[in-house]
Amino acid sequence: MKAVLNRLRRAQGQIAGVIRMIEEGRDCEEVVTQLAAASRALDRAGFAIIASGLQQCLTDPGTDGAGGLKEDPEKMRARLEKLFLSLA
């Protein structure tokens, strides 16, 4: 999770930079380029979180991922699919 936090902090800095660029009236192309970089950083953080969840599900398939009781495999599949699609 340390790498995810680093990505999120980087994205936070990039978003602050975008806000500052807009306030300064910077070129649209520069603003959009910086905004795209922030978006990619957020996507990568989300995918890393999902990958960690998948790893946990695969190594401990008898729980719901939060240390709870067994979850129906179809429900688990549906939850994971929903997570992936939320980042698409």
Side-chain angles (χ1 to χ4, degrees):
M1 282 293 129
K2 185 176 180 177
V4 171
L5 289 173
N6 288 339
R7 284 188 190 279
L8 291 173
R9 286 187 182 104
R10 185 177 310 126
Q12 183 179 32
Q14 289 169 322
I15 291 169
V18 168
I19 292 169
R20 190 171 45 255
M21 291 169 79
I22 291 171
E23 290 173 343
E24 294 170 356
R26 299 275 293 271
D27 179 64
C28 177
E29 187 175 344
E30 293 176 27
V31 172
V32 170
T33 299
Q34 190 68 18
L35 190 57
S39 179
R40 283 190 304 274
L42 290 173
D43 286 345
R44 286 182 178 270
F47 288 131
I49 291 169
I50 290 172
S52 295
L54 278 175
Q55 183 179 18
Q56 185 176 2
C57 288
L58 292 173
T59 58
D60 194 9
T63 68
D64 65 3
L69 300 174
K70 277 190 174 184
E71 181 177 23
D72 176 353
E74 184 58 27
K75 285 184 180 179
M76 183 187 312
R77 188 205 59 77
R79 275 191 327 127
L80 293 172
E81 182 179 331
K82 184 178 178 181
L83 285 173
F84 274 114
L85 291 175
S86 71
L87 290 173

